[in-house]
Each structure stands twice: as structure tokens, then as C-alpha cells.
Amino acid sequence: MAETIFSKIIRREIPADILYEDERCLAFRDVNPQAPVHVLVIPREPMESLATAPAEAAGLLGHLLLKAAHVARQEKLESWRTVINTGAEAGQTVFHLHVHVIGGRPLAWPPG
């Protein structure tokens, strides 16, 4: 997998507003928020996207979703949206798998 800005955040080469971290993942505020709360949850293990995630990553993927919910509660959200963009046409701009946690305002459907 190619080097990404998220790899640099994990190594603390680029600063981020980190809200949660453990041995498997890291959660930090998005620098281009689309709502009052916009957090990214990323695996420490390099993984480009859901499209390339191996079957043995199932436990890690579940962990990311549970930590997304943890961060949402930590941010005092009662409702939120979790989004995983997969591929450029779906809006993925950083090719290191990440879960968006978006909330703090009403969210329309369908999304943009």
C-alpha cells in the first residue's frame, strides 16, 4: 500500500486532534468537517479500502465500527452517520480505509 497522510498521522509526523486510540485503531477529527462532529476512525494496519480487505480482517473491521460508536457517544451524539467510501468514484480521497462518524446536525438522505 502507498504511503498516505494517515500513515503519517499514525506515526505522529503530522499533528491531528486525536480523540481515541488503542493498539488497533486511531480516531481523530476530520480537517475538512462536513458537520459539527466529523471524526475519522482508521486502522493502524495499512488497508487501502473495503474492496481490498482480506477475510481475516473481519475482526478489525468490527472493531472499527464499535470504536466509531464509542467516539460518537464520547462526542455526545444521539444520532450519527457512519460512512466508508470505497474507491475514487465513491468519494474516497485517502486510500487508507477509514470510517467517517458524522453528526451534530440533521443529515439529509440521500447523501450528496
Side-chain angles (χ1 to χ4, degrees):
M1 192 177 103
E3 177 79 3
T4 70
I5 190 170
F6 292 169
S7 301
K8 293 177 182 181
I9 289 172
I10 291 167
R11 292 192 307 263
R12 303 296 203 274
E13 294 171 5
I14 295 176
D17 186 0
I18 297 171
L19 302 174
Y20 176 85
E21 66 180 307
D22 62 28
E23 68 284 345
R24 300 173 84 185
C25 70
L26 190 72
F28 53 92
R29 294 193 193 283
D30 194 303
V31 296
N32 184 26
Q34 302 301 303
V37 175
H38 189 163
V39 177
L40 303 178
V41 182
I42 66 171
R44 289 183 182 274
E45 175 184 326
M47 190 178 311
E48 186 175 291
S49 71
L50 278 178
T52 61
E56 54 272 8
L60 174 59
L61 296 172
H63 183 76
L64 295 176
L65 290 176
L66 291 171
K67 295 310 166 186
H70 170 82
V71 169
R73 288 189 300 272
Q74 180 179 302
E75 291 294 299
K76 309 280 191 266
L77 296 176
E78 293 182 20
S79 299
W80 64 88
R81 182 171 291 160
T82 51
V83 176
I84 301 173
N85 298 318
T86 303
E89 288 184 11
Q92 186 176 6
T93 58
V94 178
F95 289 87
H96 182 130
L97 183 121
H98 53 288
V99 179
H100 296 260
V101 178
I102 303 167
R105 67 166 172 81
L107 300 170
W109 194 262

